[in-house]
Amino acid sequence: MMLHSRIPLLLAGILAFVGSLSQDADAAVVTTQEASLNSIFSQGSFAADPIGFRFNASITIIDPDLTTIDSSAEFSTLGSLASGPSSTIQLFYVDAINWCGSPGTNIVGCGANPGNLIVLNSLAAAHPLYGPELIAHEMGHNLGLGHTGGAGLMGPMLNLDTSLSAAEVTTIRSSPLVQLDALGYYINVTPVLVQATAVPEPGSLALLTLFGVVFCVVRRRRVRR
């Protein structure tokens, strides 16, 4: 199984700022970006058969040792805590990620390829511009897509280009994560919030104040384990 991560390239200060916030206990929040994901997976290359996302109720795990992912063992522990069938994407929201196949700093997302496990820096995932692209990119890895050498959703840079080619859509449709019923094609997702203590999530208005800065272009690193 390969793991894929996104690591900041230029404005490390902004992501260091995000990282410093995420060191506080219970900083993680769940932001699904559901409407944007549905839009990305219904673009023209999907023709008349878009793929929708169906989010299950969020699950909260209280474990101070897993709010920051620092090792293969901790990543594997998250996988062991995942509930539900293997056809459901398990989307974990944590405070910080310092390991994705190998150690790193300021990693904002890590997804198995193939697989159904994704770990996200929750503040990065909540960003109104780059959050949807980040989540969709990691889901692309779960669905069997690797990195491309150019633009588009699976390209090496976060660039607000979420396009997918017809060939990539064909790969996505072949994934066992894509299901079909009378309402059409869909992917099930269970959001899992990892917190150090059992406290309520901060309100959305307070969260928005964290994004008064411009999010940086980042590059993605491909790693194996």
Side-chain angles (χ1 to χ4, degrees):
M1 177 180 67
M2 292 184 292
L3 299 175
H4 301 261
S5 67
R6 290 191 167 188
I7 301 176
L9 176 62
L10 297 177
L11 297 185
I14 291 177
L15 285 174
F17 169 69
V18 172
S20 67
L21 289 173
S22 65
Q23 297 304 311
D24 296 333
D26 305 311
V29 293
V30 168
T31 308
T32 64
Q33 307 283 9
E34 183 174 359
S36 295
L37 290 175
N38 285 331
S39 178
I40 292 170
F41 284 78
S42 63
Q43 60 186 272
S45 52
F46 286 84
D49 293 310
I51 297 175
F53 287 85
R54 301 180 187 178
F55 281 84
N56 301 316
S58 297
I59 297 171
T60 299
I61 293 174
I62 307 301
D63 191 329
D65 294 329
L66 294 177
T67 57
T68 298
I69 302 304
D70 295 313
S71 66
S72 172
E74 291 177 347
F75 190 93
S76 297
T77 297
L78 288 183
S80 70
L81 295 174
S83 61
S86 60
S87 58
T88 296
I89 290 178
Q90 306 292 329
L91 198 57
F92 286 84
Y93 294 79
V94 301
D95 293 345
I97 306 168
N98 298 319
W99 184 92
C100 184
S102 62
T105 58
N106 289 329
I107 299 170
V108 293
C110 186
N113 180 359
N116 69 331
L117 178 61
I118 295 171
V119 183
L120 299 170
N121 176 304
S122 68
L123 295 185
H127 191 275
L129 293 179
Y130 289 98
E133 182 184 359
L134 170 63
I135 298 173
H137 175 92
E138 301 303 341
M139 286 181 170
H141 289 318
N142 275 188
L143 294 163
L145 299 181
H147 289 152
T148 64
L153 179 64
M154 304 310 296
M157 305 288 288
L158 275 176
N159 56 13
L160 297 180
D161 182 353
T162 57
S163 60
L164 288 162
S165 69
E168 288 174 317
V169 171
T170 297
T171 298
I172 288 171
R173 291 196 188 283
S174 68
S175 169
L177 296 173
V178 179
Q179 303 175 66
L180 176 65
D181 64 10
L183 298 178
Y185 292 96
Y186 68 96
I187 296 172
N188 263 331
V189 184
T190 298
V192 184
L193 177 65
V194 182
Q195 292 184 319
T197 58
V199 297
E201 295 180 37
S204 58
L205 180 60
L207 180 62
L208 288 176
T209 64
L210 301 179
F211 299 115
V213 293
V214 178
F215 208 74
C216 170
V217 173
V218 302
R219 69 180 173 87
R220 303 159 185 157
R221 183 183 64 181
R222 180 172 180 166
V223 293
R224 295 174 181 268
R225 72 169 185 175

